[in-house]
Amino acid sequence: MNKYNNYVNLFTTFYSDEDVKIDEKLSQYVNFKVGGPADILVTPRNKEQIVKTVTICKENNIPFYVIGNGSNLLVKDGGFRGVVISLTKVSNITVDGERIEAECGAMLKQVSDKAVENSLTGFEFACGIPGTVGGAVFMNAGAYNGEMSQIIESANVIDENGEVITLTNEELELGYRSSIVMKKGYVVLSATFKLEKGTIKSIKDLVDDLTGKRESKQPLEYPSAGSTFKRPEGYFAGKLIQDAGLKGCSIGGAAVSEKHSGFVINKGGATAKDILDLIHHIQDEVKRQFGVELHTEVRIIGEDL
């Protein structure tokens, strides 16, 4: 049942009709391809609309959740009560010398391509991460021994008071899959990355190499949210899951990938409940067999049916 339908007129005053949707299925917006509807889904076209939307939600005590590409998100089958803000249209990228400024909805692949075009090195590790700049800052995304903390200079965010502030690298408190943005519920508007000059050939060769590794080792042919679990200290989640005999294990349409045990995939027709049940089964088995607790890297929102 739509709990916030009566609030939709607060947004239609400054959004076009096509950018405000009621009871919109979130399965269309997340890589897992599962999930129930959002009461209201808005798609801002600029940073000003984001700020205004967040302000309205805060002033009216409307729950809201910000999504980018939905690559690290699982929405439960009952959907989300409140407003979901999809940032993918706020995606401008500008280059100034050795700095790249990218808005929150820009895909990391787009930023990587822009770095290659301008002979800038340092962003290669992120070329295959299927997320947006906002999400990458939020969780200090990383791959292949690189992470956002190594290259980000500053970020513009909406703080808990609805104010737009600029945070330096240090103020962002970027740790393993964490940041001050995550801890305090800030909303990222844009980020500035400080890179270094290199040669296009060497940068492109590294991007191609990392892309090849990703394609050969990850189950990209299936819907998933990437690495399902955070890396436990002293272990690798995928190896623990494989050693527990769970490779290929399935519940309903959800399965542990045969290609990479760190990935839970939607092999076809999965529900969010299937995926959550499998995640819990994996956690229970790894804890029972090895005494190690696995914590999800994927974000889980919404309510059950």
Side-chain angles (χ1 to χ4, degrees):
M1 180 178 175
N2 193 316
K3 190 176 177 182
Y4 291 94
N5 190 25
N6 292 337
Y7 290 88
V8 72
N9 63 318
L10 296 174
F11 304 101
T12 52
T13 57
F14 63 100
Y15 277 100
S16 64
D17 290 346
E18 65 180 331
D19 292 334
V20 181
K21 296 181 179 178
I22 309 298
D23 293 323
E24 181 77 350
K25 287 186 178 179
L26 293 173
S27 56
Q28 305 171 69
Y29 296 84
V30 298
N31 285 14
F32 256 134
K33 303 302 178 190
V34 301
D39 286 349
I40 302 171
L41 183 135
V42 295
T43 306
R45 300 279 175 160
N46 53 60
K47 290 187 281 189
E48 291 73 28
Q49 282 187 320
I50 300 172
V51 174
K52 197 166 183 179
T53 302
V54 169
T55 299
I56 286 172
C57 289
K58 286 178 177 286
E59 288 177 346
N60 292 275
N61 296 313
I62 304 171
F64 69 93
Y65 195 85
V66 174
I67 65 173
N69 192 46
S71 58
N72 193 48
L73 185 64
L74 175 61
V75 181
K76 292 184 178 181
D77 296 313
F80 184 83
R81 304 287 72 77
V83 174
V84 171
I85 308 170
S86 173
L87 301 181
T88 53
K89 301 291 186 185
V90 185
S91 57
N92 288 329
I93 303 170
T94 57
V95 181
D96 182 10
E98 295 181 350
R99 288 176 173 82
I100 295 181
E101 182 177 358
E103 290 184 330
C104 50
M107 293 294 295
L108 296 178
K109 176 67 166 61
Q110 294 172 322
V111 181
S112 175
D113 289 346
K114 190 69 74 172
V116 173
E117 288 172 20
N118 289 272
S119 303
L120 294 174
T121 183
F123 208 89
E124 294 91 336
F125 73 88
C127 66
I129 299 174
T132 58
V133 166
V137 176
F138 179 85
M139 65 177 295
N140 188 25
Y144 301 111
N145 299 315
E147 60 182 26
M148 291 294 131
S149 64
Q150 298 166 359
I151 56 173
I152 190 168
E153 187 171 70
S154 63
N156 290 327
V157 305
I158 307 172
D159 69 10
E160 68 268 45
N161 300 314
E163 299 293 325
V164 177
I165 61 173
T166 300
L167 299 177
T168 64
N169 181 306
E170 189 174 51
E171 290 169 334
L172 284 165
E173 297 180 13
L174 298 162
Y176 175 63
R177 301 299 176 265
S178 71
S179 69
I180 193 73
V181 177
M182 181 184 293
K183 293 169 189 169
K184 294 203 170 184
Y186 295 166
V187 176
V188 177
L189 294 174
S190 63
T192 299
F193 303 99
K194 176 67 170 67
L195 306 176
E196 296 178 1
K197 278 292 182 183
T199 63
I200 286 185
K201 185 180 186 311
S202 60
I203 296 167
K204 192 172 186 311
D205 285 348
L206 181 53
V207 166
D208 290 344
D209 178 55
L210 295 179
T211 300
K213 286 180 179 177
R214 179 171 178 268
E215 290 174 349
S216 66
K217 294 179 180 179
Q218 298 181 12
L220 304 180
E221 64 273 27
Y222 291 102
S224 81
S227 297
T228 308
F229 301 98
K230 295 178 182 177
R231 185 179 65 244
E233 191 170 347
Y235 299 91
F236 291 100
K239 187 172 190 313
L240 285 169
I241 295 165
Q242 182 171 322
D243 291 348
L246 295 171
K247 177 176 277 194
C249 176
S250 64
I251 293 178
V256 176
S257 168
E258 296 273 7
K259 197 171 187 180
H260 190 313
S261 298
F263 285 61
V264 169
I265 59 172
N266 178 355
K267 65 179 183 181
T271 63
K273 185 178 186 303
D274 291 340
I275 294 167
L276 284 168
D277 287 349
L278 182 56
I279 285 172
H280 295 149
H281 177 63
I282 292 165
Q283 290 172 319
D284 290 345
E285 279 299 300
V286 168
K287 180 68 182 294
R288 183 181 69 81
Q289 294 188 41
F290 306 112
V292 178
E293 289 192 7
L294 291 180
H295 299 282
T296 53
E297 183 171 309
V298 60
R299 308 286 294 178
I300 300 165
I301 66 166
E303 59 186 36
D304 297 316
L305 279 174

